[in-house]
Amino acid sequence: MRIRDFIPSVLIGAVASARSMTPMAALAGAHLLRRETPGRLILLDKPLFTAGALAMGVGELYGDKMKSAPDRTVFLGLLARVMSAGIAGAALAPKGYEREGAALAVGTAVPMAYLTLSARKKAMAEIGQTKSGFIEDALIVAAGIAVVAWAIGRR
């Protein structure tokens, strides 16, 4: 196994650092299009999970614009990133190497959550919470979709 085979897992961890539910929503969208991930992902076989992942992805985009939205580095925010990155990192890893993919995604998501928060705070000071949030949303959702599409296309 080559290290570059795990690039999608690392990249989806970076996506999770900024938007915890985007990796799961991107995977759910791919599942609805009947695309299979390289690694095993049993949860998406459940329609309720697929619908929930999509709903939570959309909800997070809305909630992030609220003045009361907590920082992504609070305990529950980091926990959501760990879970989402782990599941998505495993799904995008080569078959049989799901644990390694999950570990790499989580190992990327947690420290990068602090970096993306710092960047977001700087952007908020410059252009405000809502505008910076929409820009971050566009970048991260596009990145999540691109990473999932790339990983699935590499199969």
Side-chain angles (χ1 to χ4, degrees), residues 52-151:
L54 289 169
M56 288 172 56
V58 171
E60 180 180 37
L61 297 178
Y62 172 76
D64 178 63
K65 311 309 169 294
M66 299 171 64
K67 299 282 185 212
S68 61
D71 285 349
R72 61 194 73 180
T73 56
V74 299
F75 175 75
L76 290 177
L78 288 176
L79 180 62
R81 280 158 177 73
V82 165
M83 293 171 58
S84 178
I87 292 168
L92 299 182
K95 187 174 178 128
Y97 292 89
E98 289 89 349
R99 288 182 186 198
E100 292 85 348
L104 287 166
V106 170
T108 302
V110 173
M112 281 205 59
Y114 291 90
L115 293 174
T116 58
L117 176 61
S118 176
R120 175 68 187 280
K121 284 183 175 181
K122 287 179 185 173
M124 285 171 51
E126 296 271 329
I127 60 174
Q129 182 175 2
T130 303
K131 199 180 283 187
S132 65
F134 281 124
I135 292 169
E136 188 179 39
D137 287 346
L139 293 172
I140 296 304
V141 169
I145 291 168
V147 169
V148 170
W150 178 54

